[in-house]
Structure formats: C-alpha cells, structure tokens
Amino acid sequence: MAEAGAETGFALTAEDAPAHRVRVLLPLPFPEPFDYRVPDGMDLPDGAYVEVPLGPRRLFGVVWGPALPKPEGQVVSDAKLKPVLRRFDLPPMPEVSRRFIDWVAAYTMSQPGAVLRMAVSVSAALEEPRLLTGYRLAEGGAPADLRLTPARRRILEVLAACEGMPRPAADLAEEAGCTPQVVRGLADAGVLLPVPMRSLPRFAVPDHDRPGPVFSAEQQAAVDVLRAAVEQGGYSCTLLDGVTGSGKTEVYFELVAAALRSGRQALVLLPEIALSAQWLDRFERRFGVRPAEWHSDLSGQQRRHTWRAVAHGEARVVVGARSALFLPYPALGAIVVDEEHEAAFKQEEGVIYHARDMAVTRAHLGRIPIVLVSATPSLESLTNAEQGRYGRIDLPARHGGAQLPDVTLIDLRKPDAAPPARRWLSPVLKAALMETLAAGEQAMLFLNRRGYAPLTLCRACGHRLQCPNCTAWLVEHRLTKRLQCHHCGYTARAPDECPNCGTEGSFVACGPGVERVAEEVAELFPDARTAVLTSDTLVGPRAMQLAIEQVKDHAVDLMIGTQVMAKGHHFPLLTLVGVVDADLGLSGGDLRASERTFQLLHQVAGRAGRESRPGRVFLQTHMPEHPVMQALAAHDRDSYLAQEVEGRQMLEMPPFGRLAALIVSGEDDRLVDQVALRLGRTAPRERAELTILGPAPAPLAVLRGRHRRRLLLKGPKQLPLQPILADWLARVEIPAQIRVQVDIDPYSFM
Ligand code: ADP
Ligand code: ZN
C-alpha cells in the first residue's frame, strides 16, 4: 500500500487520486481494459481516443472510464504506470457505443478489444487526414507578360471551368494532358495560388424535404407509424412485412427522412450484395445526394474519410453491410435492417454475431426506433411480432396493382417433364422460354451453383477430385479452366489423367452449375443474347452495375444467375423465371434449410413480372409435395410458416429455444479430438433443461487444413446460455494450438 508514497514522497494511491488514472480499452484480445497514467494537463474524458504504449508497441485505445480501485497489494505506483502518450483530436466515442461494445462482447463471449477492433477497423482514421495542395487562379488572372505555352494555356482553361474551386496538381495535369511540373511552374510564376484542401469532399446533407412519392393509403399508414416512432422518441422495433414491390423501400425512406428532420443520423443495413448502384440511385432520387457507404469495396482512404465523417456527425445517412453497425455515431436516430431474414447478416468469423439482432440491441441502448424489413421475414422476427415484442406493419399488395407471378411446379419425376440425359431444362420450361423470347421479353434461369459442375469424377475408377485442404469436392470452372474449392479458394488446373488410376481423359462432370446451363441454353437458343451472372463474373460493384444496365437496356434476353441475381433488382421486361433445381437448398438438413429455401425462391420468383406484364415462375423439383414448394405455388406463406413453427416448437428449436455451438479446431487431428472429448466429458449434463449434442466431426470436417469438431448446446428460451458456457469452458484446459470458437445462436452448422 505504501509503495507509491515510498517512491514519490507522497502518500497517494489510485484510490486517492482516481483522476490521474484511466482504464483504456485496447483493440487486442484481453478480457479487460488496462490502466494508464494521465499526464499533467491532458484532458481525457471517457471515450477519448488515445495512443498508449504496450511493451515496445504504441497502440490506439479508447478511455473506458476512470481507473477502478485495486485490491491492496496490486496497486501499481504512479511512477511505474505507463502514461497515455497523446489524445487524438476527435470527439470522444459516445457512451452508447461503448456500452454497445461491452454488450456485444458479453453476448457473443468475445473479448471487448476484438469488438473495439470492429468499431475502429481503420486505426489510420484517428489521425487528422493530410491536406492536399490544390491550386486555383490568383486574383487578377494571368499577367500580360506570362509566357503562354500550349500546356499552360490548357491548364488555365481547365481552371477557368472550375469556377474558383481549387484542384490538386495531379488532377489538373491529367485533365490538361501535361505534367504536374507545368502546374507548379505556373504557381512559381504567381499565376496559380496553392491552397490546402481536403482529399475527399464533405458528405452533403440529404434533403429530407424533397417530395417523396404519393403514397397509397396502406403505404401512408405505414409511413405514419414509422414517423410517429421517430417523433415520439425512445426504443421501438417494427417488422415491416410486405411482398416484393409493395413499396417497402419507399416507406422506410420516410423513417430516414424523419430521423434527418429531427437532426439525427440514420443507418440502413443491407446484406452486402443488395447494396447495389440501383439502391444508391434511388436514395439519390429521394434525397438529392448519395449516402455515406460502408462495405468491403471501399478503399482505405474512403474508409478513413467515412469513419471520421460519421464520428463527427457529418455523414448523416450511412448505408452499409453489417459492420456499419459498429461505427461511432454521435447522434444515431433510426436504424433500418433491410432483407432482415438474410443469413449474410451473420458474421461467421472472428467475433461471431448476427447484425440484425445486434442492431436491435443498439437501438435499445440508444433508445431509438428500428425497422426490420423483408418480404419473407425470419421466423425469429415473425415470432417476436406475434408475441408482441415487435410492432408489425403489413404491405400486402404490389404497388400499382402489379400481380404476383404465376408459379408452376415442374415434377421432374414425370417422364414427360424430365430433361433429356445430361441436360437440365425440362421440355415444359423450354417451351415457356421460347414463348417469352418470342414475345420480346426477358427470362432468368436461376441455379445457386457457380461453375460448370459441382463434382468431377473418374469414369474408370470413380475417384473424385477433392480439395486438399477441406472436406469438399473441387468445382470445375470452364470459364477460367480451373478446378476450385468454394470453401477455401484453392484452385488447380484440371488434371489430364486420374491421379488415382492414371487413366487419361477419364474425368466426367457430374451435375449442373450455371456454366453448364449456359451451354445448354446456347444449344437451344443460339440467337438469344445470354449472360452468366455470378460472383465469378461480377467482380466488384461496377461490374454488377454494368450488367444491370445491360439487362435494363434489353441488351440481354436471358440471364443465368446465382443468388447475386435473386435480390432487389427491378427489371420491367423480365417476365419468366425458371429455377433449375428448386430442391438444392433443402438437402443438408440444417435447422433453417427449408425456411431459407422458401425465402430464396420467393425472392427469385419476385423478380418476374414487376410491372404491367404478368410474370411466370417455373420451379423444377423432385419434391413437388414438399411444404416449401406447395407454399410457393399457392402463394400461401402463412400455412407454410404455421407448419414450420409447429415443428420448431415441438423440438424447442429457435426461436422457441436457444442454441450455442462450440467449434473445436486445429491442425493436429488427435489433439482436436482430445479437446473435443474433454469438452464432451465436462459438459453440464447434470442440468435436465439442457441438451448437449456431440462432439461430432463437423460436416466440413476439415477446413483450410484445420480439423473440426462440433458440440451443440440447447436450452430453453428463458435461459441465457453464456454463463453456462463460461463455466463449462473454464473447466477445460485448451492447448494453444487448439481454437475453441463459441457461436451463440448458430446459423451455420457446417
Ligand atoms: P419493395 O422494397 O417492397 O420491393 P419498392 O419500394 O422497391 O418495393 O417499390 C417497388 C417499385 O414501385 C419501385 O420502383 C418504387 O419506386 C415503386 N413505388 C412504390 N410505391 C410507390 C408510390 N407510392 N408511388 C410511385 N412509385 C412507387
Ligand atoms: Zn478447400
């Protein structure tokens, strides 16, 4: 206790002068923030972004609060305690953001520092951005005696068109077709004035007063509810459930407008692939400017710029993928989660979390409204609405009276409906395609399988080509002439001879991928203009935008696409959708397989007949009696859902029970087994309300060279599983080479 006094001559401890010490959360996997000394004269409010030493390193951190009193004997002296090195010039991280980080860490059983790293994913954003030097014309223009070379004249012309706006030398030079040296020469001659300028422009404020559409009575009622939620303030969660094309987007834009009107920020979360140029264009039409975007395609510079603009409250509307939730909004006033049922909101690596669920918590902590939007809401959200925890708004009709498409099931078991050998399109679908193309309309064939064939095997010995790093077949891609593993990205050239039996040219493709369907289409409709649209062919948002424009301009008659084409797009001439293998998602038997298949196929079907021309949908299936197929054909979501709810209730599966998964992985097969077995032995089996399954090899038993075992814990809805898991994990020693991941509310069972 006396150590501080002994060294400094004053009898001071942390308890006596707490203002001298702060807890700083570091972006590292430690369970707690660390204490640092506050240098004299440094003002460090809670939430301040600081730089601190850790061993030989310098790290950023966030002040999490004053240092807590320590038990006697653990108090470190002032002299020994490392000081905060500096404070970054930024508004402090808001209290609600800090509480959110702690909450997410506790819920997902992650280290708070790992969550902080998601909130400050670009630490370079903490630094003041370097200003560029821009040039503008000096007052009085060019002096009469200036030697005017053609290059100099072009520069002056370019600048004259800029109306006084400064431009960086490199930009000017590029536009004038000369070297930046010419620009600097003009500056030296006093013709141009150098001025400091920001590298990227400020985010313009969206104009919430621009007129929106004239709403139908139903839409208006929905808008009124959402506006009232903002005006009344406080937390509320509303499920906006409406068929595709019913105007959900237009309606939730009014929530955004209301948040803006109240002087706050708004966040729209979208699954990454739905964040399209089309969506951004619509936003711009409604609000006059583009929103701030936050997704994986941003450059480092855009990321820094956007992060700072959010932290300063200058970016008023952010649209982003799940990680946008963790940005440090100082005045968030409303959240929208569009396509809330999408599995893409679940992050499966690092901190494993569901962005929709965390968004609801964020709204709760911030006491603001949140809207969950979908044409096929998740059973979780529907149940929450049913049980009164969420409000609910329905938009049952398509805008402008467009009819829902006609859905026909093609029973592939029937001889006259089955495609010929090694072909994938039924004569029924073929005939429909022919009619559609003859009418000058567009069609889409949907198959959620990239590449040419999902499996390649040797005709001579039956050997299958498998990924060396994963429990997965290699997928043939003819476009790139490679074999690919869709789990780890491994690629290889297709071998000439079988590695097992040595037979040459013996490999045959089994089953269809989109490339193979495209081959069949080219045979059947040689004159149709076709496009294969997958994540392989559409790399980056620009490629996607280009493809969409081509389809809209009717430069394409027939699209063959995977799930990247299932969502959001609005093509007026698209009247036929053919689903090549409607049963694809039903195999595998995971908890949500049928729910997800229903959602995906419903969404794909919703692409057909979005405007005045009626749409038709054909589903090729071997299970026409399956409840999913029946519900799609009859447009009867409710009876399907009722059946699904009954099954889950009976098994006490989510949303009527809770699940948590443990995934044990490592390179050493035997060690992984040992740890998994030890976890199995120490599982809390004495508690009757819990069910423990496993350990068992994961379906993806090897992934990226790591062996994997799974355990699953199931408990009743009212029982939080985190303390049980914490207690369980504390009883087992985990060697450093083995990783045990905790997945609360698992969505993937691979
Ligand atoms: P959803 O999000 O439910 O799929 P959208 O908001 O995309 O529906 O609406 C479908 C189409 O109908 C869009 O082109 C949209 O601009 C248009 N639309 C919806 N409501 C209106 C309205 N009240 N007035 C004019 N156009 C509307
Ligand atoms: Zn692999």
Side-chain angles (χ1 to χ4, degrees), residues 77-141:
S77 70
D78 265 0
K80 280 199 186 140
L81 200 62
K82 291 270 172 25
V84 171
L85 299 173
R86 64 173 171 143
R87 178 180 172 190
F88 291 100
D89 184 17
L90 276 166
M93 179 184 275
E95 200 220 335
V96 57
S97 297
R98 285 179 277 128
R99 279 198 294 148
F100 183 51
I101 288 174
D102 280 335
W103 196 94
V104 172
Y107 189 84
T108 60
M109 300 184 72
S110 316
Q111 310 287 11
V115 184
L116 175 65
R117 203 162 48 208
M118 300 196 298
V120 190
S121 55
V122 266
S123 54
L126 300 174
E127 304 278 1
E128 197 76 47
R130 264 176 294 139
L131 292 179
L132 288 176
T133 303
Y135 293 91
R136 63 176 174 76
L137 280 177
E139 304 288 329

Side-chain angles (χ1 to χ4, degrees), residues 170-187:
D171 281 15
L172 278 175
E174 191 183 312
E175 227 171 293
C178 61
T179 64
Q181 211 43 53
V182 183
V183 179
R184 284 187 206 109
L186 281 170

Side-chain angles (χ1 to χ4, degrees), residues 15 65 79 127 200 213 228 280 283 299 422 469 481 518 527 561 592 602 611 626 644 660 666 672 682 691 718 740:
E15 293 95 305
E127 304 278 1
L200 289 168
L280 295 170
F283 185 92
S299 69
R422 305 175 69 72
N469 313 319
K481 302 197 174 57
D527 299 331
R592 297 182 183 82
H602 179 93
E611 288 192 358
H626 194 286
E644 186 70 21
V672 173
T682 49
T691 309
Q718 326 69 263
V740 178

